[in-house]
Amino acid sequence: MTTNDVLRNLTEYNVWANWRILKSLDRIEGELPDYAQLMFSHVLNAQAIWIARITGTKSPVTVLQRHSLQELHQLHEQTSAKLIELYANADEAELNRTIEYTNTQGKAYSTKVQDILTHAINHATYHRGQVARELRLAGHEPINSDYVTYVRIQYGQDLEI
């Protein structure tokens, strides 16, 4: 399995996991737990920001911009499709391309595309865990978004969706 195959698989997992979180948020009656909403907004904002850096475009969002549930769905659709496209079109040269960017604190960095994409997935996983914790603290049962669950479902070993 090549680096590109691994990253493509992890990207598809990331899209699936974010979709699962959105579906679990859809089932909450009333207000979403505040911090859970903020952290999931941050997950999708970060994806949009990293995509903009990779593609050399302006980000449509800021790092801690809060979104309504409807806006989260829209941002998920936009960023997921673009992430999948980035991986589908990435060859070894693209994955090893170094990009120059400035972080949200104004500090300049140079990072390979494959490292940025790997970070974006790990970052999302970390914050999905925070979302799950906040949902549990608010009395809601969080959805399982573990990678192994994704793999089991992909191979028909688990029909939970």
Side-chain angles (χ1 to χ4, degrees):
M1 187 176 270
T2 68
T3 299
N4 199 7
D5 293 334
V6 171
L7 289 175
R8 182 177 290 117
N9 186 44
L10 289 173
T11 298
E12 290 169 1
Y13 153 71
N14 188 63
V15 169
W16 171 87
N18 287 342
W19 174 80
R20 298 233 334 153
I21 295 294
L22 274 171
K23 289 302 175 189
S24 73
L25 296 177
D26 285 341
R27 291 192 286 267
I28 294 175
E29 294 181 17
E31 298 273 329
L32 296 177
D34 186 57
Y35 192 71
Q37 183 178 2
L38 177 62
M39 282 300 95
F40 196 64
S41 292
H42 175 64
V43 165
L44 298 181
N45 291 339
Q47 285 185 178
I49 290 166
W50 284 116
I51 289 166
R53 289 174 179 162
I54 290 169
T55 60
T57 58
K58 183 174 175 9
S59 174
V61 295
T62 59
V63 71
L64 289 174
Q65 184 175 338
R66 182 184 304 271
H67 303 285
S68 69
L69 187 55
Q70 180 181 356
E71 291 167 335
L72 286 170
H73 275 278
Q74 292 168 346
L75 190 55
H76 170 68
E77 293 286 324
Q78 294 163 359
T79 60
S80 295
K82 191 61 180 174
L83 277 177
I84 296 292
E85 178 187 324
L86 284 172
Y87 279 114
N89 296 328
D91 57 13
E92 288 300 316
E94 173 60 13
L95 291 174
N96 285 303
R97 179 173 64 98
T98 298
I99 65 164
E100 311 286 330
Y101 62 94
T102 303
N103 73 1
T104 57
Q105 289 81 38
K107 188 169 180 184
Y109 289 97
S110 300
T111 308
K112 287 183 180 181
V113 169
Q114 68 183 351
D115 294 326
I116 289 170
L117 295 173
T118 302
H119 165 73
I121 294 163
N122 282 324
H123 178 262
T125 300
Y126 172 77
H127 288 301
R128 281 192 301 267
Q130 290 181 311
V131 171
R133 179 182 182 274
E134 290 302 313
L135 291 176
R136 186 173 305 283
L137 288 173
H140 306 286
E141 185 62 31
I143 195 83
N144 179 329
S145 63
D146 289 345
Y147 177 76
V148 74
T149 302
Y150 168 75
V151 170
R152 289 174 185 152
I153 291 170
Q154 296 308 303
Y155 290 103
Q157 297 173 359
D158 190 342
L159 300 179
E160 175 199 346
I161 297 192

